[in-house]
Amino acid sequence: MKKNILLGVCGGVAAYKSAELVRLLQREGFEVRVMMTAAAARFVGPLTFQALSGHPVATNLLDADQESAMGHIRLARWPDQILIAPATAHFMARIAHGLADDILSAVCLAARVPIRLAPAMNTAMWLNPATQSNRQVLESRGIRLLGPGQGELACGESGEGRMLDPDEIIDRLRETFQTGPLQGQSALVTAGPTREPLDPVRFISNRSSGKMGYALAEALRSAGASVTLVSGPVALPAPPGVELIRVETALQMRDAVMARISQAPPGLFVACAAVADYRPEHAASGKIKKTDANMTLSLTRNPDILTEVAALPPGSRPFCVGFAAETEDIRRLGEEKRRCKGVDLLAANLVGGPQGGFEDNNNALTLLWADGQAELPMMPKRELAAALVSFIEERFFACNPSS
Ligand code: CTP
């Protein structure tokens, strides 16, 4: 299946590498179109990209000829993904703020497909808190950064900020275009605990290790889905080929999930995170000091992310998989939870016993759906994740026969 990729080129010395990138993308089977900022066109002529891609290059938002050939909204709807390479510090700042005053930023704002940036800039610019805060904003909205790498920079310095080489960029993209039964589907997974701050140094959290959610993200990826993982704080490395968005609190997790869904509704939502059901009503701005008196904490309910996603209208509602941790009677309590949260498939597990549960490497699951149930026996979490993904596939295709 041919995939469309829109390559955006910003003004930086690394722009010359993007010509090679066009060729490599075509070799991977992509149909490539190119858009350039005015500054990029001063580094490499648009004609080079036109000749390589076989399509006119979009350079101007306010050009009547370009708009009548393919306006910026049509251009934003054309690709399956957008790659900005090189992405300058200035460009990152502009899209972090939702500006739309040139063709690249307007298309990024109007697009509902995954956006990837390959940053290229001087080390000090990359490490500047302004750029790092823009990076966080972009990542929290699901925009994935490829690089930057370390090495010699055009300014003569050496350090972090070098645009990845075209073949490294292709490797990173390849990871997102794997084959398998879920190829062409996207999955959004939550994992890990959340931390609910009491003051700048203390928080309320739980024992979730994130192992099950990370294993599920990897298994979904291996089944061909393009996966975004929204994770609370865990001590696990990012699974290969998975877009990782790190959050801390339940509210941040909810915002990251909802932003992702409104940007590009996924086919599957797998809520594996142990989201704190409550947060301290007030997080103190300074460290809370002890006194001789006892202390009472006032907690307020957090939104239920899974319930919120499962209640979305058709069109933006993904197939929803939820988890339930129970200490007893998992079938009855799990079934109640499945109905109450409106999920398509619920995976219930027993916690608090001698084996299985949060920190263990093994687990067993009872699967419940509207007209059936199944048991997955005790096994390592990675194997369990693969078995669960096979089930998810089966139920997903049963509910979405045309997918
Ligand atoms: N969940 C969520 N947002 C919350 C709480 C839970 O998305 N604020 C999701 C979890 O990711 C999981 C399921 O809902 O898929 C578990 O729900 P929950 O009712 O918290 O489960 P238990 O902890 O099993 O329930 P309870 O605390 O009521 O026993």
Side-chain angles (χ1 to χ4, degrees), residues 9-12 15 35-49 57-60 104:
V9 185
C10 295
M35 52 181 180
M36 302 176 79
T37 62
R42 297 179 65 183
F43 283 91
V44 184
L47 266 181
T48 304
F49 287 105
V57 173
T59 52
N60 201 334
L104 266 68

Side-chain angles (χ1 to χ4, degrees), residues 190-192 194 250 253-254 257 269-278 301-309 321-327 333 337 340-341 343 345-347 349 351 358:
T190 64
T194 63
M253 186 172 276
R254 195 264 307 257
V257 164
F269 177 61
V270 182
C272 198
V275 185
D277 291 322
Y278 296 88
R301 268 303 296 265
N302 270 328
D304 190 303
I305 306 170
L306 178 56
T307 306
E308 225 170 281
V309 173
V321 182
F323 280 77
E326 307 296 348
T327 47
L333 296 174
K337 202 160 281 176
C340 162
K341 298 207 179 202
V343 302
L345 179 66
L346 187 110
N349 71 318
V351 289
F358 279 166

Side-chain angles (χ1 to χ4, degrees), residues 77-320:
R77 289 191 188 137
W78 175 82
D80 298 296
Q81 64 170 301
I82 295 176
L83 168 64
I84 308 291
T88 56
H90 182 56
F91 181 75
M92 286 175 60
R94 284 168 51 227
I95 54 167
H97 287 87
L99 298 187
D101 56 351
D102 77 342
I103 188 75
L104 266 68
S105 51
V107 164
C108 286
L109 200 61
R112 309 194 74 190
V113 295
I115 299 176
R116 296 184 165 78
L117 308 181
M121 65 198 73
N122 158 276
T123 305
M125 290 171 86
W126 169 249
L127 295 177
N128 188 293
T131 307
Q132 289 304 310
S133 130
N134 291 331
R135 174 182 69 87
Q136 273 172 11
V137 168
L138 296 174
E139 284 178 338
S140 73
R141 292 184 195 145
I143 293 180
R144 185 169 169 202
L145 269 66
L146 313 177
Q150 297 265 356
E152 254 176 53
L153 303 169
C155 56
E157 288 175 22
S158 183
E160 205 177 356
R162 184 185 65 84
M163 185 171 100
L164 295 184
D165 284 333
D167 52 347
E168 292 175 294
I169 293 178
I170 296 290
D171 280 347
R172 301 282 183 96
L173 291 177
R174 215 181 261 147
E175 289 165 359
T176 64
F177 278 89
Q178 218 170 290
T179 54
L182 291 177
Q183 186 183 15
Q185 301 297 337
S186 56
L188 184 59
V189 180
T190 64
T194 63
R195 283 181 182 172
E196 310 299 323
L198 280 160
D199 68 14
V201 294
R202 304 183 181 95
F203 55 80
I204 298 177
S205 191
N206 58 62
R207 292 182 183 279
S208 168
S209 63
K211 282 179 196 159
M212 190 64 198
Y214 275 57
L216 268 171
E218 231 178 304
L220 285 161
R221 181 75 217 104
S222 302
S226 69
V227 182
T228 304
L229 177 61
V230 180
S231 172
V234 295
L236 298 171
V242 167
E243 184 173 343
L244 177 65
I245 302 174
R246 292 181 207 274
V247 295
E248 218 164 288
T249 65
L251 290 179
Q252 287 168 357
M253 186 172 276
R254 195 264 307 257
D255 289 351
V257 164
M258 289 306 177
R260 187 65 203 206
I261 292 177
S262 64
Q263 189 196 24
L268 289 149
F269 177 61
V270 182
C272 198
V275 185
D277 291 322
Y278 296 88
R279 66 177 180 279
E281 202 164 5
H282 304 289
S285 56
K287 188 178 168 209
I288 301 171
K289 296 305 233 182
K290 62 178 166 298
T291 64
D292 287 337
N294 286 341
M295 177 183 236
T296 306
L297 280 178
S298 181
L299 302 177
T300 187
R301 268 303 296 265
N302 270 328
D304 190 303
I305 306 170
L306 178 56
T307 306
E308 225 170 281
V309 173
L312 286 169
S316 49
R317 182 194 185 278
F319 179 89
C320 292

